Amino acid sequence: MSPSGGESTAKGLEPLLATKEIVVFCGSGGVGKTSVAAAAALTAATRLGGKVLVLTIDPARRLASALGLEGFGNLEKQVPPEALKEAGLEPRGELWAAMLDTKRSWDDLVLRHAPDEETAYRILENRLYTNITGRFVQSHDYIAMERLFDLHATGAYDLIVIDTPPTRNALDFLDAPKRMAEFFGGRLLRWLTMPYRVGGKRGARVLNVASRPFYQLADRILGSEFLQDIGEFFVNFQSMYDGFAERARAVEALLHDRRTTFGVVTTLEGSPLREAEFFCEQLIDRKYHLGALVLNKTLPDYLLSADGARAADVLVAEAGPVAEALAAGLPDAAELSDTARTARVLGTVGDSFRNFAVVAKREAELKGELARQPEVVANVPNFEIDIYDIAGLARIGEHLFA
Amino acid sequence: MAEPDLLGRRLLFFTGKGGVGKSTVTAATALLAAERGKRVLVVEVDAKGNLTEQFEQGAVGFQPREVYPGVFAMVMRTEDSLKEYLKLNLRVPVLGRLGPLARVLDFVATAAPGVKEILTVGKVCWEVRESIEGRADWDLVVVDAAATGHIIGQLDAPRAIQELVAVGTVRTQTDWMVELLSDPALTALNIVATPEEMPVNETIELVERARAELQVPLGAVFVNRVLPELFTRSDEKTFEALRRPESGAVLTERAGPGATTVLEAARLAVSLRRTRATHLTRLRETVDLPMVYLPYLFVRDAGLRVTRMVAEAMAQELGL
Ligand SMILES: Nc1ncnc2c1ncn2[C@@H]1O[C@H](COP(=O)(O)OP(=O)(O)OP(=O)(O)O)[C@@H](O)[C@H]1O
Ligand SMILES: [Mg+2]
């Protein structure tokens, strides 16, 4: 049995990982971005050398612990070389790993951009703060890109591989920096916070609120106390505008940089694949570098074999006679003496092949229909066991580099 | 089996990790209820907007449209929900006339905690209450709700608002919502999962959190895409014997050169199922909710056929 996709035109991710400084893996939820990103980083570190960091967003617990990432928040940690050796690898370089701690990253950001410490703490202590940072303008996406920028700026790594947060729309994070800048610079925010700025300090009930129909309306719906909380919060937040806008521009520039490339991960199922295709198109149209498409969890090619289909048909249609033939030909095999049982098993085996062949055919068709695809297309089979350790990641890596 | 009769309630939420089949199960539930004579409203909250594909119908908007006999679908849009709310409750003239205010309100809805959620949950609750009180006629409202990561925030919004907002119209309106949402005779939150590591982890975490933080009663866990068990233990011994080279020779003679490939495919199937079984066991041992098992369907494409097949499997599991 040969691994699926062995004879495709794919030349693997190796050249990409060898030349780029940042690889961003994206795709819709549940397709295996996190494992693919970790596997790519691991394989780059072992085969290409250098200092490689994988920044992961939401790893399964077993994977996180395999990377030594339990309870380490935002810190980067080296995966112990012994752990790699135990998995049978001979690393030429170093593998580092970090998780994204959204809350802490936001706090860092506020501390960095607030004009003074007092404002910073007023923001951090605002009861709306966590709530708001947790939901507005795709803050997860933004914070992930922020962290990436930060880590890249340290210059400590030869290669950074990042996996992207699960979003409704896989494209959201691309727009996040711009949207963040717009949010802080927007007239809307200024307009919304105006009554609080002219009204002055904390606690003062702002009189001119009543003059604006919006506030009148909002007041009736939400109550003025709540509104005032919001307003005050935004006034403080807005003081960080300059810092933010500049950062957002820099982050955006980095994503467009020649040293950055994108890998789109998908399974060969209708809706993730459609999303992946759309994403590839968008990346190209917006002049990002689309480096690779990773088809993950694919079924093996042998399910498409015509011989297999024929044999399955025979086993189902002639289960009885075949069982008899087995019992007659192999009289020593006690497990095959009950021909009724053998016939049942043969029928099941044949049926199962047909079932999986249906899915494999669908996958092949979808793959054939892929419109715009990058030069590099990698195929990673659906492993029978869960991937949760270094050795498992290395197996994925082999297919990424094939 | 799901107690107290799942389809007998008025409001069913479905959550789950992305891609596990949340929309499929939601649609199948609606279809099942409709085929049993109920008039069903399906609400798509998750912004992906593929719920109507399960009925092979084009996109719908905020106004419900019949997508299958007895099943009406709508997509949640918070701006529309707000407009409707204002029109009904405050007698505010159509917002369009207030020009940019609509944008500002949308902005507030994006930024302020709970506003978007309350507009979503509020609309859903409202439809249920109107039906109970005879002003609308949905027998059942099913919601393709937010994914596991966001569902608590969404369903807890009325209570969160009660805590944040001391006065105002909204405050008084949240009381009946909280009541409706926490009534086990009316409402249930169901979780869709697949027997895989991350979906099971998220389900376990969600059940814990929901019990601690949410008053909405939990319904059932729908375990989707369960691979078939091919062999009993003694059948498996026979299967192992078939994989021996001597047997392979006989099989190849009878069924051609593809025979061993077919055996290999069955081994793969057994092994895939076994890996998933460990997650299933973990789920079953940790979560004490009714489990509804739905088979992996070996089909070429998605659509109404899949929805029907899932609905049939569901009917069997629920003893309907
Ligand atoms: N039991 C099943 N057997 C086989 N395929 C299934 C099964 N259930 C769902 N599917 C398929 O899986 C795909 C994803 O299902 P669906 O869109 O319902 O997932 P979802 O959880 O709503 O995903 P999203 O997070 O993208 O909204 C669809 O193509 C659907 O047809
Ligand atoms: Mg869906």
Side-chain angles (χ1 to χ4, degrees):
Chain A
M1 168 184 86
S2 71
S4 67
E7 60 282 289
S8 78
T9 53
K11 57 189 165 91
L13 272 64
E14 181 163 353
L16 216 54
L17 292 168
T19 53
K20 299 293 178 180
E21 289 178 16
I22 293 176
V23 184
V24 183
F25 282 106
C26 43
S28 65
V31 296
K33 273 177 300 196
T34 306
S35 321
V36 167
L42 169 71
T43 316
T46 48
R47 295 205 193 169
L48 305 172
K51 207 171 159 187
V52 182
L53 173 74
V54 55
L55 176 56
T56 131
I57 308 290
D58 190 19
R61 232 170 296 141
R62 289 193 293 173
L63 184 62
S65 69
L67 294 173
L69 278 177
E70 272 160 335
F72 271 87
N74 254 344
L75 286 176
E76 310 119 70
K77 274 194 64 193
Q78 184 176 2
V79 179
E82 305 81 64
L84 302 186
K85 287 191 189 111
E86 267 166 40
L89 302 169
E90 281 169 36
R92 298 176 56 189
E94 296 174 10
L95 177 64
W96 289 66
M99 242 183 328
L100 186 73
D101 181 336
T102 311
K103 171 82 174 81
R104 195 168 315 173
S105 300
W106 267 109
D107 294 355
D108 290 348
L109 207 65
V110 168
L111 288 167
R112 178 171 336 119
H113 292 310
D116 51 69
E117 214 167 298
E118 200 197 322
T119 312
Y121 283 99
R122 231 181 321 173
I123 292 171
L124 295 178
E125 280 159 20
N126 188 298
R127 70 184 167 138
L128 298 180
Y129 167 73
T130 18
N131 223 326
I132 290 177
T133 48
R135 65 189 87 213
F136 82 120
V137 255
Q138 272 78 39
S139 86
H140 272 48
D141 299 338
Y142 179 67
I143 216 71
M145 294 304 115
E146 253 282 330
R147 272 285 278 162
L148 174 64
F149 180 85
D150 249 8
L151 289 165
H152 184 256
T154 63
Y157 301 98
D158 297 292
L159 172 68
I160 301 176
V161 181
I162 175 172
D163 119 52
T164 47
T167 44
R168 299 240 168 93
N169 178 349
L171 279 171
D172 282 347
F173 74 89
L174 285 180
D175 296 326
K178 205 168 75 206
R179 222 171 313 146
M180 190 60 76
E182 271 166 17
F183 180 84
F184 283 103
R187 283 175 46 212
L188 221 47
L189 184 57
R190 239 174 299 148
W191 193 76
L192 188 68
T193 54
M194 185 130 70
Y196 302 94
R197 279 182 286 147
V198 288
K201 286 280 167 195
R202 203 172 244 282
R205 177 77 171 87
V206 186
L207 285 175
N208 69 345
V209 162
S211 65
R212 291 177 177 274
F214 163 67
Y215 285 99
Q216 240 169 14
L217 187 58
D219 207 75
R220 269 166 78 191
I221 305 174
L222 295 166
S224 56
E225 227 176 283
F226 180 57
L227 263 191
Q228 190 144 351
D229 268 353
I230 295 183
E232 204 181 271
F233 174 74
F234 280 135
V235 169
N236 286 328
F237 226 85
Q238 226 188 355
S239 65
M240 305 192 294
Y241 174 64
D242 289 340
F244 251 103
E246 198 183 309
R247 271 297 266 236
R249 268 192 300 275
V251 171
E252 168 121 24
L254 181 64
L255 292 178
H256 268 112
D257 196 283
R258 285 175 31 251
R259 293 166 297 178
T260 303
T261 188
F262 289 79
V264 177
V265 186
T266 182
T267 54
L268 284 170
E269 291 171 294
S271 85
L273 192 66
R274 246 177 293 145
E275 214 170 311
E277 265 187 302
F278 174 69
F279 198 50
C280 287
E281 249 162 56
Q282 288 289 311
L283 284 169
I284 294 169
D285 290 351
R286 292 152 160 225
K287 307 199 163 39
Y288 291 96
H289 186 269
L290 172 60
L293 179 66
V294 178
L295 306 174
N296 195 21
K297 304 195 209 174
T298 58
L299 286 170
D301 282 344
Y302 65 71
L303 290 169
L304 298 171
S305 107
D307 282 345
R310 259 193 304 275
D313 289 345
V314 172
L315 294 186
V316 172
E318 294 167 33
V322 175
E324 301 286 351
L326 281 161
L330 305 165
D332 295 339
E335 305 95 330
L336 300 176
S337 58
D338 179 348
T339 52
R341 181 192 296 283
T342 310
R344 184 173 63 228
V345 171
L346 288 171
T348 306
V349 166
D351 270 338
S352 177
F353 183 89
R354 287 168 164 182
N355 280 338
F356 277 86
V358 169
V359 180
K361 249 178 229 136
R362 182 189 65 198
E363 289 190 349
E365 262 161 38
L366 287 171
K367 198 170 149 186
E369 286 164 12
L370 272 178
R372 273 164 102 175
Q373 43 177 285
E375 225 175 296
V376 179
V377 179
N379 235 314
V380 181
N382 192 345
F383 292 111
E384 297 150 38
I385 49 160
D386 292 333
I387 299 294
Y388 57 87
D389 58 9
I390 304 280
L393 291 177
R395 280 179 73 191
I396 297 182
E398 271 164 35
H399 293 274
L400 292 177
F401 275 52
Chain B
M1 204 165 289
E3 39 84 71
D5 179 21
L6 204 65
L7 295 187
R9 305 193 209 200
R10 302 298 292 254
L11 174 57
L12 298 175
F13 291 96
F14 289 89
T15 182
K17 186 175 160 57
V20 296
K22 187 159 59 72
S23 303
T24 307
V25 173
T26 306
T29 307
L31 190 145
L32 195 58
E35 300 212 312
R36 275 155 186 70
K38 291 185 194 282
R39 202 164 177 275
V40 187
L41 175 66
V42 193
V43 185
E44 163 134 39
V45 167
D46 212 4
K48 273 211 172 136
N50 63 354
L51 183 65
T52 51
E53 279 173 28
Q54 323 285 343
F55 295 100
E56 288 175 23
Q57 292 277 324
V60 292
F62 189 69
Q63 288 308 319
R65 181 163 69 75
E66 192 163 20
V67 293
Y68 186 86
V71 179
F72 296 75
M74 63 165 282
V75 171
M76 184 58 67
R77 288 209 201 97
T78 41
E79 316 93 84
D80 288 325
S81 170
L82 180 64
K83 274 184 209 161
E84 189 179 271
Y85 172 83
L86 293 175
K87 216 160 67 186
L88 285 165
N89 289 278
L90 301 173
R91 300 191 205 319
V92 171
V94 186
L95 264 173
R97 279 178 46 202
L98 295 178
L101 277 192
R103 269 197 74 203
V104 177
L105 281 169
D106 188 46
F107 177 86
V108 173
T110 316
V115 173
K116 212 153 203 156
E117 285 80 358
I118 194 77
L119 288 169
T120 298
V121 177
K123 164 73 177 169
V124 168
C125 290
W126 189 75
E127 291 292 337
V128 176
R129 192 177 70 153
E130 290 292 291
S131 300
I132 291 174
E133 294 178 358
R135 288 183 298 269
D137 51 2
W138 309 120
D139 298 309
L140 176 66
V141 177
V142 290
V143 187
D144 188 357
T148 12
H150 303 286
I151 188 72
I152 300 256
Q154 192 165 78
L155 295 186
D156 200 35
R159 227 172 39 141
I161 296 266
Q162 281 185 336
E163 275 166 26
L164 278 170
V165 186
V167 291
T169 327
V170 163
R171 164 79 214 205
T172 47
Q173 299 242 332
T174 45
D175 291 341
W176 65 264
M177 285 186 205
V178 171
E179 202 174 301
L180 193 158
L181 286 172
S182 50
D183 186 343
L186 295 176
T187 306
L189 168 60
N190 304 285
I191 309 170
V192 184
T194 51
E196 292 169 291
E197 174 158 39
M198 289 300 274
V200 166
N201 289 354
E202 289 195 9
T203 304
I204 292 171
E205 275 162 32
L206 179 64
V207 169
E208 265 170 36
R209 280 197 61 198
R211 292 224 163 101
E213 298 168 36
L214 212 57
Q215 284 169 349
V216 183
L218 290 166
V221 177
F222 289 79
V223 189
N224 191 23
R225 299 192 192 213
V226 177
L227 286 173
E229 171 119 66
L230 291 189
F231 308 122
T232 62
R233 197 153 288 183
S234 34
D235 280 3
E236 195 156 348
K237 289 218 179 73
T238 303
F239 176 61
E240 289 309 322
L242 289 173
R243 294 185 59 226
R244 291 202 288 259
E246 318 84 270
S247 313
V250 177
L251 287 168
T252 304
E253 195 181 300
R254 300 288 307 219
T260 46
T261 307
V262 175
L263 288 173
E264 173 58 23
R267 194 205 50 75
L268 173 72
V270 168
S271 163
L272 283 173
R273 152 125 191 151
R274 197 166 291 150
T275 304
R276 283 165 178 66
T278 60
H279 298 300
L280 202 54
T281 308
R282 194 159 54 90
L283 179 67
R284 220 183 277 140
E285 282 170 357
T286 328
V287 172
D288 58 346
L289 287 172
M291 304 269 160
V292 180
Y293 301 102
L294 304 170
Y296 187 98
L297 302 171
F298 296 95
V299 288
R300 292 176 62 82
D301 39 35
L304 187 55
R305 192 162 149 255
V306 170
T307 310
R308 275 219 188 87
M309 289 165 86
V310 172
E312 264 161 44
M314 204 185 276
Q316 270 189 8
E317 277 281 296
L318 294 170
L320 292 172

